[in-house]
Amino acid sequence: KTAGLLAVFMLCAALFSASVVSAADISLSYANFPPAKTFPCVQMERWKQEVEKRTAGKVQVQTYPGSTLLGAKNTLRGVMQGQADIGCVSLAYHPGVFPLSSVFELPLGFTSSTSASLALWDLYTKYQPKEFKRFKVLTMFASAPSNIMTKVPVRNLDDLKGLEVRASGILSKILESLGATPVSMPMSATPEALQKGVVKGLFSSFEVLKDLNFAEICRYETETNTAVYPFAIIMNMNSWNSLPDDVKKVLNDLGREQAEWTGKYMDEHVKRSLAWAKDKYSIEMIKMSDADMQAIKDKTLPLIEDWKEKAAAKGVDGAAVLSDVEELRIKYEG
Ligand code: 3IO
């Protein structure tokens, strides 16, 4: 008799605790590779706040900046396998894996993170490309246009000849076509490479001058305003499928808004960081001649054809994608 009562009691306790756990608390882990101060992590904290607010605390997000849960190169696999529920991926770190979305790594003339981020999100929602089929994509965004930050002045294309400069993906190919010696690595590996002298500079957006203190070591900033780096925030498919519908709606509704928020934050932050770097380290801003700027356009043009061929080999209609991106660029650049 006592054993029967005990069994009933234990069953009730089990049911009770299960219902409490499922109703009150959904905990999602979110892995990010660069340090907490950088823009991918700033947007992560904003997303966490919005999600927790809009679900009235039903969802809690545990954020892991600085590769504390997954690093730059193993976030894709880690999220797929469920080591984190959510992860931040810089697409350029995975050449060939994103034949459609990598179009944003080409020199297409985007002048802001806001316009590139909105165009990227619209392109994703239109095509729903199969390169993301294993994931739920929560949002996407892009860095501001890339520029050359170096220890030595790069005043013209001649100065760039043979110079070791860090980039990733198609942006490394852009450097190569300009005569530099690109060294591909994630942003998270760049501070050490600069310190050790493995590279003389980097090719990315200017806000890292402040956020990673690169202004201290890279006093020369050459404006090229070429390609952006596209990002995706991906979620494990089982984690997504296990969410209740009201939570799914909150996350879906945040997709475009988060892309725009991140773009606007980035564009403002680039200005703040440049002002800070001028004030603190007296960085020199360099503009190349009109002839060199035209040469940059001419020399990087073949990369667009390259991309189209690679896209075609993966079943992506590159010409259609490029024409859609151009339409979106005009729409969002105004
Ligand atoms: C980036 C990546 C991590 C932290 C700050 C950043 N600013 C621009 C990027 C773009 C990127 O992925 C890269 O590797 O330059």
Side-chain angles (χ1 to χ4, degrees):
K1 199 137 191 204
T2 339
L5 268 174
L6 189 62
V8 169
F9 172 74
M10 284 175 72
L11 183 66
C12 289
L15 285 172
F16 179 71
S17 66
S19 70
V20 166
V21 167
S22 64
D25 252 347
I26 298 166
S27 182
L28 300 175
S29 57
Y30 189 151
N32 219 323
F33 63 94
K37 274 198 275 185
T38 60
F39 91 99
C41 293
V42 172
Q43 72 77 35
M44 169 172 74
E45 294 302 328
R46 188 267 175 182
W47 189 86
K48 166 191 161 81
Q49 279 191 355
E50 289 303 316
V51 168
E52 291 178 353
K53 192 168 77 193
R54 294 175 194 198
T55 62
K58 186 165 162 182
V59 174
Q60 297 221 307
V61 183
Q62 307 300 327
T63 58
Y64 295 88
S67 299
T68 46
L69 182 56
L70 292 169
K73 298 260 201 178
N74 59 19
T75 300
L76 265 184
R77 194 179 351 131
V79 171
M80 199 172 75
Q81 296 176 345
Q83 287 156 338
D85 295 305
I86 302 169
C88 172
V89 176
S90 177
L91 306 191
Y93 301 176
H94 305 276
V97 175
F98 302 103
L100 188 139
S101 312
S102 58
V103 69
F104 276 86
E105 296 168 44
L106 292 168
L108 300 178
F110 282 93
T111 64
S112 75
S113 169
T114 306
S115 58
S117 296
L118 286 169
L120 173 60
W121 179 248
D122 282 4
L123 188 80
Y124 171 74
T125 52
K126 173 168 180 178
Y127 284 86
Q128 307 270 328
K130 67 173 191 288
E131 62 210 40
F132 287 109
K133 69 171 186 284
R134 291 191 179 91
F135 302 101
K136 166 68 182 179
V137 177
L138 295 171
T139 188
M140 295 184 86
F141 49 80
S143 70
S146 297
N147 295 292
I148 303 168
M149 298 164 253
T150 41
K151 300 180 182 186
V152 293
V154 175
R155 302 190 188 283
N156 47 56
L157 285 178
D158 246 22
D159 291 342
L160 201 55
K161 284 261 146 56
L163 197 67
E164 296 95 344
V165 179
R166 173 272 155 191
S168 259
I170 298 178
L171 286 94
S172 286
K173 294 193 191 173
I174 292 177
L175 289 176
E176 190 175 34
S177 63
L178 300 181
T181 301
V183 184
S184 295
M185 67 183 80
M187 183 62 87
S188 37
T190 307
E192 192 181 322
L194 278 170
Q195 285 297 336
K196 288 190 171 161
V198 173
V199 295
K200 304 288 191 301
L202 75 152
F203 188 44
S204 189
S205 48
F206 274 148
E207 94 292 347
V208 290
L209 289 171
K210 179 169 193 275
D211 295 344
L212 294 169
N213 203 34
F214 286 160
E216 184 179 26
I217 193 158
C218 297
R219 300 291 171 100
Y220 301 94
E221 329 302 346
T222 305
E223 291 177 49
T224 57
N225 287 319
T226 50
V228 300
Y229 284 84
F231 285 75
I233 305 303
I234 54 170
M235 185 168 185
N236 175 278
M237 213 36 129
N238 292 330
S239 306
W240 170 257
N241 287 331
S242 70
L243 293 175
D245 285 349
D246 59 333
V247 172
K248 281 183 177 161
K249 179 166 169 34
V250 168
L251 304 197
N252 278 333
D253 289 350
L254 253 172
R256 185 179 190 279
E257 182 190 320
Q258 184 71 14
E260 185 169 33
W261 187 93
T262 305
K264 286 182 172 166
Y265 167 79
M266 172 61 117
D267 290 329
E268 279 307 306
H269 197 56
V270 164
K271 290 183 206 158
R272 276 195 295 271
S273 300
L274 280 173
W276 175 90
K278 280 175 198 162
D279 184 55
K280 182 154 170 108
Y281 293 112
S282 306
I283 55 159
E284 184 184 347
M285 300 298 292
I286 299 169
K287 282 192 166 69
M288 286 197 202
S289 68
D290 290 347
D292 271 351
M293 290 306 283
Q294 186 56 48
I296 290 178
K297 276 195 185 149
D298 298 342
K299 285 171 190 286
T300 56
L301 205 59
L303 292 175
I304 297 179
E305 279 311 308
D306 274 9
W307 176 84
K308 262 203 249 179
E309 280 169 27
K310 294 213 171 74
K314 301 250 168 122
V316 172
D317 182 349
V321 170
L322 279 163
S323 114
D324 280 334
V325 173
E326 179 58 8
E327 204 172 289
L328 290 165
R329 190 184 68 82
I330 291 163
K331 174 178 175 186
Y332 289 122
E333 293 265 325

